[in-house]
């Protein structure tokens, strides 16, 4: 009974739906069959096709015309060569005693391409570095902002940092992207004040020197004066490199190989270390006795003209330059009226007659014409007794 009732209701409802469909107009029928305008659909379709063509063309251009270029950039970003500085050659005296050698050192360097993009983040880093390295905050900020952010080469931030400073930087490396510690070799001079005018010194290369020496890096050392400068080509070694794979933050993920650096050539001088020390001590002693602040002396081998010893007073500590001289110490040196940086043996200007006085006195002493008590007047008195072989002292 109930089944017949519900069946009858379904039949009646279906009839009503069919009647309503049969009674709709042609316009309503068209709207039901095509709710959107055909023109609008075509615009959307052509737009999609156009975008697909543009994307396909761009992919084709980047793959076939720029593929090698971007592949090279990708390799450079993924694989980096870390320079291993070559130690300079040793400088020795004629008997093989080392006068200048290279010792391990550490530099804090800046790698612009690894710096964070955020200006606020770079300011935060500058504050940490200023506190850690005891540097001026403004100078660090200028160094960061003045570099091309695409360059992956290292720029010197601070040379010859201490072991403690290096450990702090290593500990905070995750907070200091773009900052690294490079191993380097710095000069150590034996008896620096005694040999400073002969050996000179080396130091970090300046921008002007870099322009004149394109084969150098911004973190390189270069001879600045004396033997170090004159024999720069021979003393300088050939840098090695360590190839590593890095991530987007510049952190080393994998070692790919190492090229061993080649040390510079050793240089053997004609200088006699023992004679140089004796001449220096004698000249200092005589200067103290005569209250003279400046003096110069040279000992030459008469058989071949080789310079055995060469002293200029006052002298200076060339280790200060090699290890990074401070501003105050440098100002004190250049403002000293006695010019300690001047090598009087080769740059001093003296009347030629003064040289002849000693030659004439030596000849007269040899012939017995005069003795040590003789005083000769020749535009300035010479006390013969105050000048002896091995104990040089002149008046006038």
């Amino acid at each position: 009974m109930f089944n017949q009732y519900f069946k009858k209701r379904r039949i009646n409802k279906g009839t009503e739906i069919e009647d309503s469909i049969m009674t709709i107009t042609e316009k309503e029928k068209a709207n039901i069959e095509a709710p959107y305008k055909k023109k609008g659909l075509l615009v959307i379709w052509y737009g999609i096709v156009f975008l697909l063509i543009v994307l396909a063309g761009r992919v084709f251009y980047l793959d076939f015309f720029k593929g090698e270029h971007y592949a090279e950039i990708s390799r450079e970003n993924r694989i980096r060569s870390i320079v291993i500085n070559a130690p300079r050659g040793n400088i020795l005296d004629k008997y093989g005693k080392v006068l200048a050698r290279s010792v391990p050192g550490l530099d804090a360097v800046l790698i612009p391409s690894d710096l964070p993009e955020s200006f606020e983040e770079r300011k935060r880093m500058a504050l940490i570095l200023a506190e850690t390295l005891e540097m001026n905050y403004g100078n660090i900020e200028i160094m960061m902002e003045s570099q091309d952010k695409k360059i992956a080469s290292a720029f010197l931030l601070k040379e010859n940092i201490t072991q403690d400073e290096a450990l702090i930087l290593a500990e905070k490396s995750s907070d200091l992207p773009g900052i690294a510690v490079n191993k380097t070799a710095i000069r150590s001079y034996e008896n620096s004040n005694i040999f400073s005018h002969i050996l000179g010194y080396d130091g970090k290369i300046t921008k002007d020197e870099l322009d004149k020496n394109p084969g150098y890096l911004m973190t390189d050392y270069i001879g600045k004066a004396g033997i170090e400068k004159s024999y720069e080509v021979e003393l300088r070694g050939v840098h090695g490199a360590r190839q590593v794979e890095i991530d987007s933050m510049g952190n080393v993920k994998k070692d790919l190989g190492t090229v061993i650096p080649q040390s510079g050539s050793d240089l053997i001088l004609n200088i006699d270390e023992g004679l140089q020390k004796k001449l220096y001590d004698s000249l200092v002693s005589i200067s103290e006795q005569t209250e003279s602040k400046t003096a110069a002396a040279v000992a030459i081998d008469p058989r071949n003209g080789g310079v055995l010893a060469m002293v200029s007073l006052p002298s200076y500590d060339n280790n200060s330059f090699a290890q990074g001289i401070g501003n105050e110490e440098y100002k004190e040196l250049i403002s000293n009226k006695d010019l300690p940086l001047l090598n009087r043996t080769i740059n001093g200007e003296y009347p030629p007659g003064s040289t002849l006085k000693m030659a004439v006195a030596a000849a007269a002493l040899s012939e017995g014409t005069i003795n040590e008590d003789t005083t000769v007047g020749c535009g300035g008195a010479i006390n013969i007794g105050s000048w002896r072989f091995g104990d040089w002292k002149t008046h006038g």
Side-chain angles (χ1 to χ4, degrees):
M1 180 176 179
F2 286 104
N3 290 338
Q4 291 178 353
Y5 171 77
F6 285 113
K7 183 177 181 182
K8 185 176 180 180
R9 278 184 62 98
R10 284 197 300 271
I11 293 171
N12 292 336
K13 200 163 192 175
T15 304
E16 290 175 2
I17 293 172
E18 288 178 358
D19 291 342
S20 64
I21 292 174
M22 295 299 294
T23 57
I24 62 175
T25 65
E26 290 295 326
K27 185 175 181 180
E28 290 174 340
K29 183 178 179 181
N31 287 335
I32 292 173
E33 293 178 353
Y36 298 104
K37 291 183 179 180
K38 189 174 182 180
K39 184 178 180 180
L41 287 173
L42 287 175
V43 170
I44 295 174
W45 170 254
Y46 287 134
I48 293 172
V49 171
F50 176 76
L51 289 175
L52 289 174
I53 292 173
V54 170
L55 289 174
R58 183 63 176 168
V59 170
F60 179 82
Y61 172 75
L62 293 177
D63 190 16
F64 288 93
F65 293 97
K66 288 289 186 177
E68 188 61 32
H69 170 70
Y70 286 110
E72 182 64 24
I73 293 177
S74 175
R75 283 193 294 271
E76 289 178 359
N77 289 336
R78 185 172 60 89
I79 299 174
R80 178 174 298 169
S81 291
I82 300 175
V83 174
I84 304 175
N85 292 330
R88 293 172 73 84
N90 295 329
I91 302 177
L92 307 93
D93 82 337
K94 64 186 302 180
Y95 298 112
K97 295 180 180 178
V98 178
L99 306 179
R101 71 180 80 238
S102 294
V103 297
L106 298 170
D107 290 339
V109 298
L110 169 72
I111 304 173
S113 63
D114 293 341
L115 290 174
E117 295 183 1
S118 169
F119 176 71
E120 293 300 323
E121 188 68 14
R122 294 196 297 272
K123 287 182 65 176
R124 182 192 64 79
M125 287 176 53
L127 287 171
I128 296 175
L129 291 170
E131 181 180 355
T132 303
L133 301 177
E134 298 182 354
M135 294 178 64
N136 182 274
Y137 165 78
N139 291 341
I140 297 176
E141 191 174 26
I142 290 172
M143 289 182 67
M144 285 186 173
E145 301 306 320
S146 62
Q147 305 300 335
D148 185 350
K149 301 302 184 293
K150 297 179 182 179
I151 296 177
S153 301
F155 289 83
L156 181 67
L157 187 62
K158 183 180 180 182
E159 65 178 305
N160 197 29
I161 63 174
T162 65
Q163 189 72 27
D164 289 341
E165 290 172 338
L167 290 173
I168 293 173
L169 291 180
E171 182 183 354
K172 298 181 177 180
S173 59
S174 59
D175 296 325
L176 298 171
I179 305 300
V181 176
N182 274 7
K183 294 181 181 179
T184 186
I186 60 175
R187 264 319 202 207
S188 176
Y189 299 102
E190 304 292 332
N191 301 300
S192 57
N193 285 282
I194 297 176
F195 291 93
S196 58
H197 284 107
I198 297 175
L199 302 180
Y201 55 89
D202 74 346
K204 286 295 185 181
I205 193 169
T206 64
K207 191 174 186 310
D208 290 339
E209 290 170 334
L210 189 64
D211 293 338
K212 298 175 183 176
N213 301 274
Y216 285 69
L217 304 174
M218 275 300 297
T219 54
D220 275 345
Y221 286 81
I222 190 171
K224 305 280 189 177
I227 293 293
E228 292 279 19
K229 182 177 181 180
S230 299
Y231 289 89
E232 169 65 21
V233 175
E234 290 79 8
L235 290 170
R236 181 177 184 250
V238 179
H239 291 332
R242 174 186 169 212
Q243 278 205 326
V244 296
E245 185 177 326
I246 61 171
D247 60 15
S248 59
M249 298 295 292
N251 299 316
V252 176
K253 293 299 181 183
K254 184 179 180 182
D255 276 312
L256 301 178
T258 301
V259 178
I260 305 299
Q262 300 177 21
S263 301
S265 301
D266 289 347
L267 183 64
I268 300 176
L269 305 180
N270 200 63
I271 295 293
D272 182 338
E273 181 196 38
L275 181 59
Q276 176 78 10
K277 290 180 178 178
K278 185 173 182 180
L279 182 59
Y280 179 86
D281 292 340
S282 297
L283 206 59
V284 168
S285 176
I286 294 170
S287 296
E288 291 174 351
Q289 293 173 18
T290 60
E291 297 182 355
S292 174
K293 295 182 179 180
T294 61
V298 181
I300 298 177
D301 189 339
R303 297 169 297 181
N304 53 25
V307 177
L308 300 174
M310 185 174 70
V311 176
S312 176
L313 296 181
S315 187
Y316 66 94
D317 184 0
N318 48 3
N319 278 318
S320 297
F321 286 92
Q323 298 171 8
I325 191 169
N327 290 332
E328 293 301 321
E329 186 178 357
Y330 183 67
K331 287 180 181 178
E332 185 178 345
L333 278 173
I334 61 176
S335 62
N336 190 328
K337 64 180 181 179
D338 295 322
L339 306 176
L341 297 179
L342 174 65
N343 186 352
R344 288 174 167 80
T345 59
I346 58 176
N347 295 322
E349 297 181 353
Y350 309 102
S354 296
T355 309
L356 294 175
K357 292 175 185 177
M358 292 185 289
V360 172
L365 283 171
S366 299
E367 295 295 326
T369 306
I370 59 176
N371 57 44
E372 60 184 18
D373 297 321
T374 304
T375 299
V376 181
C378 50
I382 299 180
N383 186 349
I384 302 300
S386 63
W387 184 88
R388 301 182 182 88
F389 295 102
D391 183 16
W392 297 1
K393 178 180 176 182
T394 62
H395 298 289

